[in-house]
Amino acid sequence: MPAFLSHAIDWLNRLLWNGPLLILLCATHLLFTIRLGFPQKNTFRAIKLSVAPEAAEKNSKNLSGFATLATTLAATLGTGNIVGVSTAIAAGGPGALFWCWITGILGMATAYAECFLSVHFRHRRSDGSYTGGPMYVLEKGLGSPKLGKLYACCTLLAAFGVGCTTQSSAIADALTTLWKIPPQLTGALIALIAGAVILGGIHSISRFCTRIVPLMGGLYIAACLLLLFQNAAFLPKSIGVILQTAFAPRAVSGGLLGGSFLMAARYGIARGLFTNEAGIGTAAIAAGSTRNASPTRQGLISMTAVFWDTVVMCALTGLVIVSNLLRFPGSARGFSEAGLTGAAFLSFPFGGNTFLTLLLIAFAITTLIGWCYLGEKGAEYLFYTKGTCFYHVIYIIMIYIGAILPMEYVWGITDLINGFMVLPNILTLWCLKSMIEPPFRHKNTSPKKR
């Protein structure tokens, strides 16, 4: 990539993500939290809805509520929850975890709103299946097919970037470090594994996600709880340090346990927004394929993705890191900013870093699968169903390419694409906010016709 283009992308990302987009997303989270009467209070009811049996259509080609949730989590769970929290704490201090957690709680309201609109404006195809997402909301709700195409194009490009090449690159790096496996072999194996699932269609992807995502998430949560049990004596002090550095006007101490309000808020909020993707609209794409007739029900189910992603998994990761640093003050020596979670897992009794690395690889594979589905919906909106097979072939080839090529520029391009996804999605939420009904306000949960 030419140097001037690389500098231009970096400048645009700093312009967007160092202030304007973070403020816009935070304002949106607060708006819908208040306007919808704090839908977060329905979290546990929403979790019950996500696993409750549904009255399915005969020979249904649509997804259950749980399948849409699992597909969303497949695309969002992974390096952000493990590596991203590590970098946030290293850069902003332990207080960054508090702001990451708060961002997750407030982001649940935005996730509910965008998924509500996605179900309301989804498109029913001739075979009876549904498809939806912000592109359909932009087209039908705002009457702007051009913005819909822009969003679909960005989704397609993001799928090839953060959803595909960066994940296969991370897997190749991990396996090369762990077992000296050549990247070419890793790329071929991952392409074959992912291709077998992808080419099976939407139900193959949903079956994979509903089986693998809960298993991996459960293993990671169990591992974190075990480490927290081992560090139990340091948990009260860990919580105190997190709260102290979250609101401290200036750095309270040096080293990794230092931090100030500004640094903690900056890195914690940014990491929370990137990790759960509330406001970017990706959860709404999966929600649009649900068999649920009620936008309210699906909105509640989909917002639990943010709960599991940020409120639970990011919080557990951060507590493990901070309690480990307090218990073993020198344990992070020799580790990079992204390696604090790995340093904490050194005391894990069952394989330590090998266990964590294998989990990261598994998360990356599910991200590949989940993002393939999101990108497919973007390709389908742009080229109709005739472009789906071609998209799948290109996606599988990009998995292999990502494993063997350097990824130094891909993240910058992907961050810029995410910015272009945020802007039209947030525009629809603000313009159509009067159509979004709070959960359980009325017995009839269908949206009002406007």
Side-chain angles (χ1 to χ4, degrees), residues 87-392:
T87 57
I89 291 175
L97 177 63
F98 173 83
W99 294 109
C100 178
W101 190 72
I102 290 296
T103 303
I105 291 177
L106 296 178
M108 292 172 67
T110 300
Y112 169 87
E114 60 190 12
C115 293
F116 183 102
L117 288 177
S118 179
V119 175
H120 180 47
F121 288 107
R122 62 186 174 175
H123 171 69
R124 187 180 180 96
R125 295 182 294 204
S126 57
D127 63 357
S129 62
Y130 289 110
T131 184
M135 47 277 203
Y136 292 95
V137 181
L138 286 161
E139 178 186 343
K140 298 180 178 182
L142 288 189
S144 179
K146 290 183 179 179
L147 281 179
K149 289 180 179 179
L150 171 65
Y151 186 91
C153 184
C154 288
T155 303
L156 190 59
L157 293 174
F160 288 130
V162 69
C164 179
T165 52
T166 54
Q167 301 303 320
S168 58
S169 177
I171 295 169
D173 289 345
L175 289 178
T176 299
T177 303
L178 196 61
W179 291 315
K180 310 300 181 186
I181 297 176
Q184 294 83 353
L185 179 58
T186 298
L189 289 174
I190 299 302
L192 285 173
I193 294 170
V197 177
I198 291 167
L199 295 178
I202 182 174
H203 287 290
S204 174
I205 293 173
S206 68
R207 281 195 301 270
F208 178 87
C209 294
T210 53
R211 292 171 183 172
I212 302 300
V213 171
L215 174 63
M216 289 190 318
L219 282 174
Y220 184 71
I221 289 172
C224 287
L225 291 175
L226 178 58
L227 288 170
L228 291 177
F229 177 77
Q230 293 177 180
N231 301 340
F234 294 87
L235 278 180
K237 187 176 181 181
S238 298
I239 295 171
V241 168
I242 290 168
L243 293 175
Q244 183 184 11
T245 54
F247 298 98
R250 57 180 61 86
V252 296
S253 64
L256 289 171
L257 292 179
S260 65
F261 164 74
L262 289 177
M263 295 295 285
R266 175 187 173 188
Y267 287 101
I269 291 172
R271 182 50 52 205
L273 293 173
F274 273 116
T275 299
N276 59 54
E277 299 183 8
I280 296 179
T282 48
I285 298 174
S289 297
T290 183
R291 67 171 66 117
N292 280 317
S294 167
T296 297
R297 179 187 175 98
Q298 185 58 46
L300 285 168
I301 292 172
S302 293
M303 84 174 187
T304 63
V306 180
F307 172 79
W308 291 116
D309 181 280
T310 307
V311 180
V312 174
M313 293 190 68
C314 286
L316 287 175
T317 301
L319 283 171
V320 165
I321 291 172
V322 176
S323 62
N324 179 72
L325 290 172
L326 290 173
R327 184 183 178 191
F328 304 109
S331 62
R333 193 173 295 117
F335 285 86
S336 66
E337 290 186 351
L340 299 184
T341 312
F345 267 75
L346 287 176
S347 59
F348 186 70
F350 307 108
N353 269 334
T354 300
F355 175 83
L356 182 63
T357 301
L358 291 175
L359 266 181
L360 275 169
I361 291 171
F363 276 126
I365 292 173
T366 59
T367 300
L368 279 171
I369 304 298
W371 258 102
C372 178
Y373 174 76
L374 302 180
E376 177 185 328
K377 293 302 175 183
E380 185 181 292
Y381 184 85
L382 292 169
F383 310 112
Y384 306 102
T385 54
K386 62 184 178 182
T388 302
C389 291
F390 183 68
Y391 162 76
H392 285 160

